Each structure stands twice: as structure tokens, then as C-alpha cells.
Amino acid sequence: MRTLDGRVAIVTGTAQGIGRAIALDLAAHGASVVGVDIDGDGAEQTAAAARAGGADAVAHGFDVADGDAMRDAIEGAVARFGRLDVLCNNAYASDAAVLAGDQDVVQTSMETWDRVMAVNVRGPMLACKYAIPAMLSTAGHGSIVNISSTSAYFGDVVFVAYSASKAALQALTRSVATSHGRRGIRCNGIAPGLVATPDAQKNLDPTMFDVYRRNRLLDTVGTPDQVAAIATYLASDDAAYVTGQTFVVDGGACAHQPWYRDAALLHPELFDDDSIR
Ligand SMILES: NC(=O)c1ccc[n+]([C@@H]2O[C@H](COP(=O)([O-])OP(=O)(O)OC[C@H]3O[C@@H](n4cnc5c(N)ncnc54)[C@H](O)[C@@H]3O)[C@@H](O)[C@H]2O)c1
């Protein structure tokens, strides 16, 4: 992996989970990191961990749907570090009340829909809007990484707003890559499947992990570090010829036919693992 020495990154949702792992991995590869989270104390703890590892890191506490705060944070990053190279839009509307209210299309309130869209789509759009001119005027290039989800690809009985927002984020990714590629901006995404963050392990029904495990190709659950490794790759010059793509990181759950498990009926010799049935 090429170093990110001298590069400056802004990452959202850094207080915990995947965002924390991305901030620390970028820092471990040499970048200076500006972390943003609605949980300012948590973001500061992540920044402190990055500093303890020898990196330069600062944190801000604000809602990514707040355009003025996002503009100020990007201007502050340039004032503090002299440049901006990387933006990672990772925060999502993870508030428990919003997640509980995100049901099917009939039951979901407009308040829930608007909040999910504000954080998951408006937030990344605002960050791109302010970061791209800052990247071009200081570094002369930039790499944007948007954290989507495999929920963008499938229908589900719940999470109508979340799924639509993550599909919109993939469309935003392609639009930014298209409009600003010639100017030196790369824009890619990552669509994780289930990742065992501390919150996911705490909040999700254990049956959910079992369902996912039986429907992936790899008999393992993803970790935040595995997503962070792809984000750091996309941020780096190793991915200099990669743009407009969203990388699925899901242990192969999206790679097979929906009736994959039924293949055990036709080819029992290939499925000696009882857990698949
Ligand atoms: N964990 C998974 O299984 C999984 C699967 C697919 C996609 N993802 C995506 O990965 C990303 C990170 O997910 P995670 O599981 O690490 O989440 P998480 O809940 O552990 O962390 C989310 C972070 O975002 C912050 N946040 C919430 N609303 C915010 C706002 N309005 N402004 C600023 N910060 C805000 C939270 O405080 C928190 O620190 C999200 O985009 C999510 O959609 C996660």
C-alpha cells in the first residue's frame, strides 16, 4: 500500500464502528485526519487514539446534514493542515428512534424518511459540494469514498428509507465521478454487507448473524477493519485508475443466485457444512 504521508482526510461518523476504523486506518497509513460525528466526545476519542499512534488528528461534533457546519469544518481543515485530499462520507442516520421508524413504505412517517435522507444523502452531497473546491484549490486532486450498503441492491420488508438513501448515495458517487473526473477527483463507494461493529453485535438479534452467515459464500462475519482497508486503498494512489465504482464487501452474499442454498438439494456433495441447510 502506498503511503498517505502528507495527505489530509475528512471522515464522518468517526465516533465508533466503521468510521472509527477508517479514521484510524487512514491515520496509520500517514494521513492527517479530521473526524466528524454528531457524538463529538466519541469523535474526539478516536482523534486521540490516532494521535497516540503518531498521527495528527482533530475532531468536530456536528450533524452532517448541517451545511454551514460542514463548510466550516472543511475550511477549518484547510486552515489547519493546508490542504484536503480525501473525503469519506460514512455517517448514517443511526439514531435508534429513526431506525425503529424506518419500516415499509406505508408505515414509515415522512419525518423518518426526511431525516434518513438528510443524513445519508444530503450530508454526503454537502460534504462533496464543499470538499471538491477545497481539494482542487489545495491538493489539485482528491479522492471521495462514500459508504453505501448492500441494502441498496435488494428489496426488504423494512428499512425503505435506508435502502433508498444508500442507492441514492451510489448514484451520487457516479455523478461526482463523472462531473469531476477530468479535474482530478475520483469518487468511489463501498457497499458493506453485515459488519460486526460493537453496535451491530449489541443491537442485532443473534438470529440475524446466523441468517447472514448461511447466505454468504465465506463462513465469516465482516469486521470494521476489513471495510477500512478498502477505504484506505480507494483513498490512496494505488487506486489512481479507479473511479465511479462501488465495491461490495459482504463475504459474497451478493455474488450468488438467490436460490444458492437450494443448490444443496441438487449438489449435496458440495455442501458438507450442515449450517448451510
Ligand atoms: N455495520 C454494518 O453492518 C453495515 C452494513 C452496511 C453498511 N454500513 C454502513 O457503514 C457506515 C457506518 O456504519 P456503522 O455500522 O459503523 O455505524 P455505527 O452506528 O456504529 O456508527 C455510526 C456513526 O455515525 C454517527 N452519526 C449518526 N448520525 C450522525 C449525523 N447526523 N451526523 C454525524 N454523525 C452521525 C454516530 O454517532 C456514529 O458514531 C454507515 O454508512 C452504514 O450505513 C454498515
Side-chain angles (χ1 to χ4, degrees), residues 13-19 36-39 62-65 90-95 115 119 147-150 162 166 192-197 199-200:
T14 55
Q16 61 179 51
I18 293 170
V36 171
D37 203 292
I38 203 163
D39 171 6
F62 65 85
D63 180 345
V64 294
N90 163 81
Y92 84 114
S94 59
D95 182 79
R115 180 61 183 155
V119 177
I147 308 301
S148 175
S149 167
T150 52
Y162 179 79
K166 292 301 187 177
L194 183 63
V195 176
T197 59
D199 255 28

PDB file of all heavy atoms in Angstrom, residues 13-19 36-39 62-65 90-95 115 119 147-150 162 166 192-197 199-200, ligand 1:
ATOM      1  N   GLY A  13     -18.722  10.337  10.893  1.00  0.00           N
ATOM      2  CA  GLY A  13     -19.176   9.181  11.675  1.00  0.00           C
ATOM      3  C   GLY A  13     -18.027   8.435  12.322  1.00  0.00           C
ATOM      4  O   GLY A  13     -18.015   7.207  12.345  1.00  0.00           O
ATOM      5  N   THR A  14     -17.062   9.195  12.899  1.00  0.00           N
ATOM      6  CA  THR A  14     -15.821   8.572  13.387  1.00  0.00           C
ATOM      7  C   THR A  14     -15.872   8.165  14.853  1.00  0.00           C
ATOM      8  O   THR A  14     -14.896   7.635  15.376  1.00  0.00           O
ATOM      9  CB  THR A  14     -14.615   9.526  13.197  1.00  0.00           C
ATOM     10  OG1 THR A  14     -14.924  10.776  13.833  1.00  0.00           O
ATOM     11  CG2 THR A  14     -14.312   9.731  11.740  1.00  0.00           C
ATOM     12  N   ALA A  15     -17.003   8.417  15.541  1.00  0.00           N
ATOM     13  CA  ALA A  15     -17.034   8.113  16.983  1.00  0.00           C
ATOM     14  C   ALA A  15     -16.938   6.618  17.252  1.00  0.00           C
ATOM     15  O   ALA A  15     -16.459   6.213  18.311  1.00  0.00           O
ATOM     16  CB  ALA A  15     -18.310   8.677  17.606  1.00  0.00           C
ATOM     17  N   GLN A  16     -17.401   5.813  16.317  1.00  0.00           N
ATOM     18  CA  GLN A  16     -17.431   4.363  16.581  1.00  0.00           C
ATOM     19  C   GLN A  16     -17.523   3.594  15.263  1.00  0.00           C
ATOM     20  O   GLN A  16     -17.601   4.184  14.179  1.00  0.00           O
ATOM     21  CB  GLN A  16     -18.634   4.018  17.454  1.00  0.00           C
ATOM     22  CG  GLN A  16     -19.978   4.364  16.813  1.00  0.00           C
ATOM     23  CD  GLN A  16     -21.158   4.000  17.699  1.00  0.00           C
ATOM     24  OE1 GLN A  16     -21.187   4.361  18.857  1.00  0.00           O
ATOM     25  NE2 GLN A  16     -22.108   3.267  17.133  1.00  0.00           N
ATOM     26  N   GLY A  17     -17.526   2.273  15.385  1.00  0.00           N
ATOM     27  CA  GLY A  17     -17.819   1.406  14.245  1.00  0.00           C
ATOM     28  C   GLY A  17     -16.870   1.564  13.067  1.00  0.00           C
ATOM     29  O   GLY A  17     -15.655   1.745  13.228  1.00  0.00           O
ATOM     30  N   ILE A  18     -17.439   1.502  11.871  1.00  0.00           N
ATOM     31  CA  ILE A  18     -16.641   1.520  10.638  1.00  0.00           C
ATOM     32  C   ILE A  18     -15.919   2.858  10.470  1.00  0.00           C
ATOM     33  O   ILE A  18     -14.757   2.899  10.047  1.00  0.00           O
ATOM     34  CB  ILE A  18     -17.557   1.207   9.436  1.00  0.00           C
ATOM     35  CG1 ILE A  18     -18.067  -0.242   9.522  1.00  0.00           C
ATOM     36  CG2 ILE A  18     -16.832   1.447   8.121  1.00  0.00           C
ATOM     37  CD1 ILE A  18     -19.166  -0.593   8.516  1.00  0.00           C
ATOM     38  N   GLY A  19     -16.589   3.954  10.817  1.00  0.00           N
ATOM     39  CA  GLY A  19     -15.961   5.285  10.669  1.00  0.00           C
ATOM     40  C   GLY A  19     -14.728   5.433  11.531  1.00  0.00           C
ATOM     41  O   GLY A  19     -13.722   6.021  11.104  1.00  0.00           O
ATOM     42  N   VAL A  36     -15.488  13.782  12.048  1.00  0.00           N
ATOM     43  CA  VAL A  36     -16.757  14.485  12.302  1.00  0.00           C
ATOM     44  C   VAL A  36     -17.768  13.478  12.823  1.00  0.00           C
ATOM     45  O   VAL A  36     -17.884  12.380  12.267  1.00  0.00           O
ATOM     46  CB  VAL A  36     -17.304  15.108  10.990  1.00  0.00           C
ATOM     47  CG1 VAL A  36     -18.710  15.642  11.207  1.00  0.00           C
ATOM     48  CG2 VAL A  36     -16.364  16.180  10.468  1.00  0.00           C
ATOM     49  N   ASP A  37     -18.489  13.857  13.875  1.00  0.00           N
ATOM     50  CA  ASP A  37     -19.571  12.978  14.354  1.00  0.00           C
ATOM     51  C   ASP A  37     -20.552  13.820  15.158  1.00  0.00           C
ATOM     52  O   ASP A  37     -20.162  14.794  15.795  1.00  0.00           O
ATOM     53  CB  ASP A  37     -19.012  11.844  15.229  1.00  0.00           C
ATOM     54  CG  ASP A  37     -19.939  10.638  15.293  1.00  0.00           C
ATOM     55  OD1 ASP A  37     -21.037  10.764  15.889  1.00  0.00           O
ATOM     56  OD2 ASP A  37     -19.580   9.580  14.735  1.00  0.00           O
ATOM     57  N   ILE A  38     -21.805  13.437  15.144  1.00  0.00           N
ATOM     58  CA  ILE A  38     -22.795  14.118  15.975  1.00  0.00           C
ATOM     59  C   ILE A  38     -22.449  13.881  17.456  1.00  0.00           C
ATOM     60  O   ILE A  38     -22.790  14.693  18.314  1.00  0.00           O
ATOM     61  CB  ILE A  38     -24.221  13.631  15.612  1.00  0.00           C
ATOM     62  CG1 ILE A  38     -25.264  14.662  16.015  1.00  0.00           C
ATOM     63  CG2 ILE A  38     -24.505  12.248  16.188  1.00  0.00           C
ATOM     64  CD1 ILE A  38     -26.612  14.455  15.330  1.00  0.00           C
ATOM     65  N   ASP A  39     -21.746  12.795  17.711  1.00  0.00           N
ATOM     66  CA  ASP A  39     -21.193  12.484  19.038  1.00  0.00           C
ATOM     67  C   ASP A  39     -19.765  13.039  19.079  1.00  0.00           C
ATOM     68  O   ASP A  39     -18.802  12.346  18.740  1.00  0.00           O
ATOM     69  CB  ASP A  39     -21.221  10.960  19.244  1.00  0.00           C
ATOM     70  CG  ASP A  39     -20.477  10.512  20.494  1.00  0.00           C
ATOM     71  OD1 ASP A  39     -20.023  11.368  21.279  1.00  0.00           O
ATOM     72  OD2 ASP A  39     -20.344   9.286  20.674  1.00  0.00           O
ATOM     73  N   PHE A  62     -20.805  17.651  15.120  1.00  0.00           N
ATOM     74  CA  PHE A  62     -21.978  18.283  14.497  1.00  0.00           C
ATOM     75  C   PHE A  62     -22.721  17.273  13.632  1.00  0.00           C
ATOM     76  O   PHE A  62     -22.220  16.189  13.332  1.00  0.00           O
ATOM     77  CB  PHE A  62     -21.611  19.550  13.709  1.00  0.00           C
ATOM     78  CG  PHE A  62     -20.727  19.335  12.500  1.00  0.00           C
ATOM     79  CD1 PHE A  62     -21.259  18.984  11.265  1.00  0.00           C
ATOM     80  CD2 PHE A  62     -19.351  19.521  12.583  1.00  0.00           C
ATOM     81  CE1 PHE A  62     -20.455  18.805  10.144  1.00  0.00           C
ATOM     82  CE2 PHE A  62     -18.525  19.351  11.478  1.00  0.00           C
ATOM     83  CZ  PHE A  62     -19.079  18.993  10.253  1.00  0.00           C
ATOM     84  N   ASP A  63     -23.911  17.669  13.241  1.00  0.00           N
ATOM     85  CA  ASP A  63     -24.788  16.859  12.398  1.00  0.00           C
ATOM     86  C   ASP A  63     -24.372  17.057  10.931  1.00  0.00           C
ATOM     87  O   ASP A  63     -24.333  18.209  10.454  1.00  0.00           O
ATOM     88  CB  ASP A  63     -26.235  17.352  12.640  1.00  0.00           C
ATOM     89  CG  ASP A  63     -27.275  16.618  11.827  1.00  0.00           C
ATOM     90  OD1 ASP A  63     -26.924  15.917  10.864  1.00  0.00           O
ATOM     91  OD2 ASP A  63     -28.466  16.780  12.174  1.00  0.00           O
ATOM     92  N   VAL A  64     -24.086  15.984  10.214  1.00  0.00           N
ATOM     93  CA  VAL A  64     -23.604  16.127   8.825  1.00  0.00           C
ATOM     94  C   VAL A  64     -24.651  16.740   7.891  1.00  0.00           C
ATOM     95  O   VAL A  64     -24.316  17.161   6.782  1.00  0.00           O
ATOM     96  CB  VAL A  64     -23.118  14.783   8.224  1.00  0.00           C
ATOM     97  CG1 VAL A  64     -21.887  14.269   8.947  1.00  0.00           C
ATOM     98  CG2 VAL A  64     -24.233  13.746   8.197  1.00  0.00           C
ATOM     99  N   ALA A  65     -25.911  16.790   8.331  1.00  0.00           N
ATOM    100  CA  ALA A  65     -26.940  17.435   7.497  1.00  0.00           C
ATOM    101  C   ALA A  65     -26.870  18.962   7.592  1.00  0.00           C
ATOM    102  O   ALA A  65     -27.563  19.657   6.845  1.00  0.00           O
ATOM    103  CB  ALA A  65     -28.329  16.959   7.927  1.00  0.00           C
ATOM    104  N   ASN A  90     -19.200   8.548   5.714  1.00  0.00           N
ATOM    105  CA  ASN A  90     -19.518   7.261   6.362  1.00  0.00           C
ATOM    106  C   ASN A  90     -20.706   7.359   7.317  1.00  0.00           C
ATOM    107  O   ASN A  90     -21.420   6.377   7.516  1.00  0.00           O
ATOM    108  CB  ASN A  90     -18.267   6.786   7.130  1.00  0.00           C
ATOM    109  CG  ASN A  90     -18.586   5.713   8.141  1.00  0.00           C
ATOM    110  OD1 ASN A  90     -18.719   4.540   7.803  1.00  0.00           O
ATOM    111  ND2 ASN A  90     -18.745   6.102   9.412  1.00  0.00           N
ATOM    112  N   ALA A  91     -20.955   8.538   7.895  1.00  0.00           N
ATOM    113  CA  ALA A  91     -22.043   8.673   8.888  1.00  0.00           C
ATOM    114  C   ALA A  91     -23.380   8.324   8.248  1.00  0.00           C
ATOM    115  O   ALA A  91     -23.606   8.577   7.062  1.00  0.00           O
ATOM    116  CB  ALA A  91     -22.081  10.092   9.440  1.00  0.00           C
ATOM    117  N   TYR A  92     -24.250   7.734   9.032  1.00  0.00           N
ATOM    118  CA  TYR A  92     -25.616   7.492   8.564  1.00  0.00           C
ATOM    119  C   TYR A  92     -26.563   7.730   9.731  1.00  0.00           C
ATOM    120  O   TYR A  92     -26.135   7.810  10.885  1.00  0.00           O
ATOM    121  CB  TYR A  92     -25.766   6.084   7.992  1.00  0.00           C
ATOM    122  CG  TYR A  92     -26.020   4.987   8.993  1.00  0.00           C
ATOM    123  CD1 TYR A  92     -27.219   4.296   9.003  1.00  0.00           C
ATOM    124  CD2 TYR A  92     -25.051   4.629   9.931  1.00  0.00           C
ATOM    125  CE1 TYR A  92     -27.455   3.274   9.912  1.00  0.00           C
ATOM    126  CE2 TYR A  92     -25.287   3.619  10.842  1.00  0.00           C
ATOM    127  CZ  TYR A  92     -26.478   2.945  10.830  1.00  0.00           C
ATOM    128  OH  TYR A  92     -26.712   1.942  11.741  1.00  0.00           O
ATOM    129  N   ALA A  93     -27.859   7.837   9.439  1.00  0.00           N
ATOM    130  CA  ALA A  93     -28.850   8.133  10.477  1.00  0.00           C
ATOM    131  C   ALA A  93     -29.026   6.901  11.354  1.00  0.00           C
ATOM    132  O   ALA A  93     -29.892   6.064  11.118  1.00  0.00           O
ATOM    133  CB  ALA A  93     -30.170   8.552   9.838  1.00  0.00           C
ATOM    134  N   SER A  94     -28.183   6.803  12.385  1.00  0.00           N
ATOM    135  CA  SER A  94     -28.131   5.594  13.203  1.00  0.00           C
ATOM    136  C   SER A  94     -28.906   5.735  14.505  1.00  0.00           C
ATOM    137  O   SER A  94     -28.903   4.817  15.321  1.00  0.00           O
ATOM    138  CB  SER A  94     -26.660   5.265  13.523  1.00  0.00           C
ATOM    139  OG  SER A  94     -26.061   6.344  14.213  1.00  0.00           O
ATOM    140  N   ASP A  95     -29.549   6.893  14.672  1.00  0.00           N
ATOM    141  CA  ASP A  95     -30.341   7.125  15.874  1.00  0.00           C
ATOM    142  C   ASP A  95     -31.405   6.024  16.028  1.00  0.00           C
ATOM    143  O   ASP A  95     -32.094   5.670  15.064  1.00  0.00           O
ATOM    144  CB  ASP A  95     -31.004   8.500  15.719  1.00  0.00           C
ATOM    145  CG  ASP A  95     -31.814   8.868  16.936  1.00  0.00           C
ATOM    146  OD1 ASP A  95     -31.197   9.285  17.918  1.00  0.00           O
ATOM    147  OD2 ASP A  95     -33.043   8.723  16.883  1.00  0.00           O
ATOM    148  N   ARG A 115     -35.494  12.529   7.649  1.00  0.00           N
ATOM    149  CA  ARG A 115     -34.284  12.500   8.480  1.00  0.00           C
ATOM    150  C   ARG A 115     -33.237  11.565   7.860  1.00  0.00           C
ATOM    151  O   ARG A 115     -32.045  11.884   7.802  1.00  0.00           O
ATOM    152  CB  ARG A 115     -34.636  12.051   9.908  1.00  0.00           C
ATOM    153  CG  ARG A 115     -33.452  11.992  10.855  1.00  0.00           C
ATOM    154  CD  ARG A 115     -32.786  13.347  11.035  1.00  0.00           C
ATOM    155  NE  ARG A 115     -31.604  13.263  11.893  1.00  0.00           N
ATOM    156  CZ  ARG A 115     -30.592  14.124  11.853  1.00  0.00           C
ATOM    157  NH1 ARG A 115     -30.610  15.170  11.032  1.00  0.00           N
ATOM    158  NH2 ARG A 115     -29.556  13.970  12.644  1.00  0.00           N
ATOM    159  N   VAL A 119     -29.493  12.880   6.496  1.00  0.00           N
ATOM    160  CA  VAL A 119     -28.179  12.450   6.993  1.00  0.00           C
ATOM    161  C   VAL A 119     -27.441  11.625   5.929  1.00  0.00           C
ATOM    162  O   VAL A 119     -26.254  11.830   5.683  1.00  0.00           O
ATOM    163  CB  VAL A 119     -28.332  11.624   8.296  1.00  0.00           C
ATOM    164  CG1 VAL A 119     -26.973  11.122   8.781  1.00  0.00           C
ATOM    165  CG2 VAL A 119     -29.015  12.467   9.371  1.00  0.00           C
ATOM    166  N   ILE A 147     -19.705   5.532   1.872  1.00  0.00           N
ATOM    167  CA  ILE A 147     -20.053   4.228   2.434  1.00  0.00           C
ATOM    168  C   ILE A 147     -21.552   3.981   2.230  1.00  0.00           C
ATOM    169  O   ILE A 147     -22.405   4.570   2.882  1.00  0.00           O
ATOM    170  CB  ILE A 147     -19.681   4.121   3.926  1.00  0.00           C
ATOM    171  CG1 ILE A 147     -18.212   4.525   4.148  1.00  0.00           C
ATOM    172  CG2 ILE A 147     -19.925   2.688   4.408  1.00  0.00           C
ATOM    173  CD1 ILE A 147     -17.181   3.698   3.390  1.00  0.00           C
ATOM    174  N   SER A 148     -21.845   3.096   1.297  1.00  0.00           N
ATOM    175  CA  SER A 148     -23.218   2.726   0.965  1.00  0.00           C
ATOM    176  C   SER A 148     -23.575   1.456   1.737  1.00  0.00           C
ATOM    177  O   SER A 148     -23.190   1.286   2.902  1.00  0.00           O
ATOM    178  CB  SER A 148     -23.320   2.533  -0.551  1.00  0.00           C
ATOM    179  OG  SER A 148     -24.580   2.067  -0.936  1.00  0.00           O
ATOM    180  N   SER A 149     -24.298   0.549   1.133  1.00  0.00           N
ATOM    181  CA  SER A 149     -24.699  -0.706   1.788  1.00  0.00           C
ATOM    182  C   SER A 149     -25.234  -1.651   0.722  1.00  0.00           C
ATOM    183  O   SER A 149     -25.787  -1.211  -0.299  1.00  0.00           O
ATOM    184  CB  SER A 149     -25.811  -0.422   2.804  1.00  0.00           C
ATOM    185  OG  SER A 149     -26.410  -1.634   3.225  1.00  0.00           O
ATOM    186  N   THR A 150     -25.137  -2.949   0.983  1.00  0.00           N
ATOM    187  CA  THR A 150     -25.761  -3.906   0.062  1.00  0.00           C
ATOM    188  C   THR A 150     -27.288  -3.768   0.092  1.00  0.00           C
ATOM    189  O   THR A 150     -27.967  -4.269  -0.803  1.00  0.00           O
ATOM    190  CB  THR A 150     -25.357  -5.359   0.387  1.00  0.00           C
ATOM    191  OG1 THR A 150     -25.609  -5.617   1.768  1.00  0.00           O
ATOM    192  CG2 THR A 150     -23.897  -5.605   0.074  1.00  0.00           C
ATOM    193  N   TYR A 162     -33.741   3.746   4.383  1.00  0.00           N
ATOM    194  CA  TYR A 162     -32.307   3.423   4.396  1.00  0.00           C
ATOM    195  C   TYR A 162     -31.881   2.869   3.030  1.00  0.00           C
ATOM    196  O   TYR A 162     -30.886   3.316   2.449  1.00  0.00           O
ATOM    197  CB  TYR A 162     -32.020   2.416   5.508  1.00  0.00           C
ATOM    198  CG  TYR A 162     -30.585   1.984   5.617  1.00  0.00           C
ATOM    199  CD1 TYR A 162     -29.639   2.789   6.242  1.00  0.00           C
ATOM    200  CD2 TYR A 162     -30.152   0.751   5.105  1.00  0.00           C
ATOM    201  CE1 TYR A 162     -28.308   2.387   6.353  1.00  0.00           C
ATOM    202  CE2 TYR A 162     -28.832   0.340   5.213  1.00  0.00           C
ATOM    203  CZ  TYR A 162     -27.908   1.156   5.845  1.00  0.00           C
ATOM    204  OH  TYR A 162     -26.602   0.749   5.940  1.00  0.00           O
ATOM    205  N   LYS A 166     -29.255   4.643   0.378  1.00  0.00           N
ATOM    206  CA  LYS A 166     -27.964   4.059   0.004  1.00  0.00           C
ATOM    207  C   LYS A 166     -27.857   3.885  -1.517  1.00  0.00           C
ATOM    208  O   LYS A 166     -26.756   3.962  -2.082  1.00  0.00           O
ATOM    209  CB  LYS A 166     -27.755   2.728   0.738  1.00  0.00           C
ATOM    210  CG  LYS A 166     -27.562   2.904   2.247  1.00  0.00           C
ATOM    211  CD  LYS A 166     -26.354   3.782   2.566  1.00  0.00           C
ATOM    212  CE  LYS A 166     -26.035   3.846   4.044  1.00  0.00           C
ATOM    213  NZ  LYS A 166     -24.825   4.639   4.335  1.00  0.00           N
ATOM    214  N   PRO A 192     -20.931  -2.320   2.173  1.00  0.00           N
ATOM    215  CA  PRO A 192     -20.722  -3.465   3.065  1.00  0.00           C
ATOM    216  C   PRO A 192     -21.997  -4.283   3.219  1.00  0.00           C
ATOM    217  O   PRO A 192     -23.113  -3.753   3.143  1.00  0.00           O
ATOM    218  CB  PRO A 192     -20.366  -2.812   4.414  1.00  0.00           C
ATOM    219  CG  PRO A 192     -20.134  -1.357   4.140  1.00  0.00           C
ATOM    220  CD  PRO A 192     -20.935  -1.043   2.916  1.00  0.00           C
ATOM    221  N   GLY A 193     -21.833  -5.577   3.443  1.00  0.00           N
ATOM    222  CA  GLY A 193     -22.909  -6.396   3.990  1.00  0.00           C
ATOM    223  C   GLY A 193     -22.818  -6.290   5.499  1.00  0.00           C
ATOM    224  O   GLY A 193     -22.237  -5.334   6.024  1.00  0.00           O
ATOM    225  N   LEU A 194     -23.355  -7.252   6.205  1.00  0.00           N
ATOM    226  CA  LEU A 194     -23.338  -7.173   7.665  1.00  0.00           C
ATOM    227  C   LEU A 194     -21.896  -7.120   8.185  1.00  0.00           C
ATOM    228  O   LEU A 194     -21.071  -7.948   7.819  1.00  0.00           O
ATOM    229  CB  LEU A 194     -24.052  -8.383   8.270  1.00  0.00           C
ATOM    230  CG  LEU A 194     -24.163  -8.376   9.791  1.00  0.00           C
ATOM    231  CD1 LEU A 194     -24.989  -7.196  10.279  1.00  0.00           C
ATOM    232  CD2 LEU A 194     -24.754  -9.687  10.291  1.00  0.00           C
ATOM    233  N   VAL A 195     -21.630  -6.110   9.003  1.00  0.00           N
ATOM    234  CA  VAL A 195     -20.305  -5.937   9.608  1.00  0.00           C
ATOM    235  C   VAL A 195     -20.480  -5.938  11.126  1.00  0.00           C
ATOM    236  O   VAL A 195     -21.333  -5.220  11.660  1.00  0.00           O
ATOM    237  CB  VAL A 195     -19.663  -4.607   9.148  1.00  0.00           C
ATOM    238  CG1 VAL A 195     -18.339  -4.375   9.859  1.00  0.00           C
ATOM    239  CG2 VAL A 195     -19.469  -4.603   7.631  1.00  0.00           C
ATOM    240  N   ALA A 196     -19.649  -6.718  11.789  1.00  0.00           N
ATOM    241  CA  ALA A 196     -19.809  -6.891  13.240  1.00  0.00           C
ATOM    242  C   ALA A 196     -19.190  -5.738  14.007  1.00  0.00           C
ATOM    243  O   ALA A 196     -18.182  -5.880  14.696  1.00  0.00           O
ATOM    244  CB  ALA A 196     -19.201  -8.216  13.665  1.00  0.00           C
ATOM    245  N   THR A 197     -19.801  -4.561  13.889  1.00  0.00           N
ATOM    246  CA  THR A 197     -19.392  -3.424  14.724  1.00  0.00           C
ATOM    247  C   THR A 197     -19.881  -3.704  16.145  1.00  0.00           C
ATOM    248  O   THR A 197     -20.799  -4.515  16.348  1.00  0.00           O
ATOM    249  CB  THR A 197     -20.034  -2.129  14.225  1.00  0.00           C
ATOM    250  OG1 THR A 197     -21.459  -2.308  14.273  1.00  0.00           O
ATOM    251  CG2 THR A 197     -19.623  -1.799  12.803  1.00  0.00           C
ATOM    252  N   ASP A 199     -21.869  -1.942  17.903  1.00  0.00           N
ATOM    253  CA  ASP A 199     -23.308  -1.668  17.954  1.00  0.00           C
ATOM    254  C   ASP A 199     -24.123  -2.783  17.307  1.00  0.00           C
ATOM    255  O   ASP A 199     -25.170  -3.164  17.823  1.00  0.00           O
ATOM    256  CB  ASP A 199     -23.625  -0.348  17.252  1.00  0.00           C
ATOM    257  CG  ASP A 199     -23.924   0.734  18.270  1.00  0.00           C
ATOM    258  OD1 ASP A 199     -23.388   0.622  19.403  1.00  0.00           O
ATOM    259  OD2 ASP A 199     -24.676   1.678  17.936  1.00  0.00           O
ATOM    260  N   ALA A 200     -23.649  -3.291  16.168  1.00  0.00           N
ATOM    261  CA  ALA A 200     -24.373  -4.375  15.486  1.00  0.00           C
ATOM    262  C   ALA A 200     -24.411  -5.608  16.382  1.00  0.00           C
ATOM    263  O   ALA A 200     -25.445  -6.277  16.500  1.00  0.00           O
ATOM    264  CB  ALA A 200     -23.709  -4.700  14.154  1.00  0.00           C
TER     265      ALA A 200
HETATM  266  N1  LIG B   1     -22.389  -2.274  10.301  1.00  0.00           N
HETATM  267  C1  LIG B   1     -22.974  -2.811   9.238  1.00  0.00           C
HETATM  268  O1  LIG B   1     -23.364  -3.989   9.250  1.00  0.00           O
HETATM  269  C2  LIG B   1     -23.134  -2.016   7.972  1.00  0.00           C
HETATM  270  C3  LIG B   1     -23.630  -2.673   6.835  1.00  0.00           C
HETATM  271  C4  LIG B   1     -23.788  -1.960   5.650  1.00  0.00           C
HETATM  272  C5  LIG B   1     -23.469  -0.611   5.612  1.00  0.00           C
HETATM  273  N2  LIG B   1     -22.996   0.018   6.728  1.00  0.00           N
HETATM  274  C6  LIG B   1     -22.690   1.447   6.619  1.00  0.00           C
HETATM  275  O2  LIG B   1     -21.452   1.723   7.232  1.00  0.00           O
HETATM  276  C7  LIG B   1     -21.473   3.050   7.771  1.00  0.00           C
HETATM  277  C8  LIG B   1     -21.065   3.005   9.222  1.00  0.00           C
HETATM  278  O3  LIG B   1     -21.941   2.115   9.907  1.00  0.00           O
HETATM  279  P1  LIG B   1     -21.607   1.552  11.375  1.00  0.00           P
HETATM  280  O4  LIG B   1     -22.242   0.222  11.468  1.00  0.00           O
HETATM  281  O5  LIG B   1     -20.169   1.717  11.657  1.00  0.00           O
HETATM  282  O6  LIG B   1     -22.492   2.572  12.258  1.00  0.00           O
HETATM  283  P2  LIG B   1     -22.419   2.976  13.780  1.00  0.00           P
HETATM  284  O7  LIG B   1     -23.834   3.144  14.212  1.00  0.00           O
HETATM  285  O8  LIG B   1     -21.521   2.092  14.572  1.00  0.00           O
HETATM  286  O9  LIG B   1     -21.741   4.422  13.694  1.00  0.00           O
HETATM  287  C9  LIG B   1     -22.387   5.470  13.026  1.00  0.00           C
HETATM  288  C10 LIG B   1     -21.743   6.774  13.467  1.00  0.00           C
HETATM  289  O10 LIG B   1     -22.393   7.855  12.777  1.00  0.00           O
HETATM  290  C11 LIG B   1     -22.669   8.884  13.720  1.00  0.00           C
HETATM  291  N3  LIG B   1     -23.790   9.690  13.267  1.00  0.00           N
HETATM  292  C12 LIG B   1     -25.099   9.341  13.264  1.00  0.00           C
HETATM  293  N4  LIG B   1     -25.841  10.345  12.780  1.00  0.00           N
HETATM  294  C13 LIG B   1     -24.997  11.366  12.501  1.00  0.00           C
HETATM  295  C14 LIG B   1     -25.163  12.676  11.997  1.00  0.00           C
HETATM  296  N5  LIG B   1     -26.382  13.152  11.695  1.00  0.00           N
HETATM  297  N6  LIG B   1     -24.073  13.455  11.836  1.00  0.00           N
HETATM  298  C15 LIG B   1     -22.838  12.983  12.173  1.00  0.00           C
HETATM  299  N7  LIG B   1     -22.619  11.756  12.652  1.00  0.00           N
HETATM  300  C16 LIG B   1     -23.681  10.959  12.808  1.00  0.00           C
HETATM  301  C17 LIG B   1     -22.964   8.136  15.014  1.00  0.00           C
HETATM  302  O11 LIG B   1     -22.837   8.974  16.156  1.00  0.00           O
HETATM  303  C18 LIG B   1     -21.937   7.015  14.969  1.00  0.00           C
HETATM  304  O12 LIG B   1     -20.712   7.383  15.552  1.00  0.00           O
HETATM  305  C19 LIG B   1     -22.902   3.584   7.545  1.00  0.00           C
HETATM  306  O13 LIG B   1     -22.917   4.389   6.392  1.00  0.00           O
HETATM  307  C20 LIG B   1     -23.709   2.318   7.337  1.00  0.00           C
HETATM  308  O14 LIG B   1     -24.855   2.536   6.542  1.00  0.00           O
HETATM  309  C21 LIG B   1     -22.834  -0.655   7.913  1.00  0.00           C
END
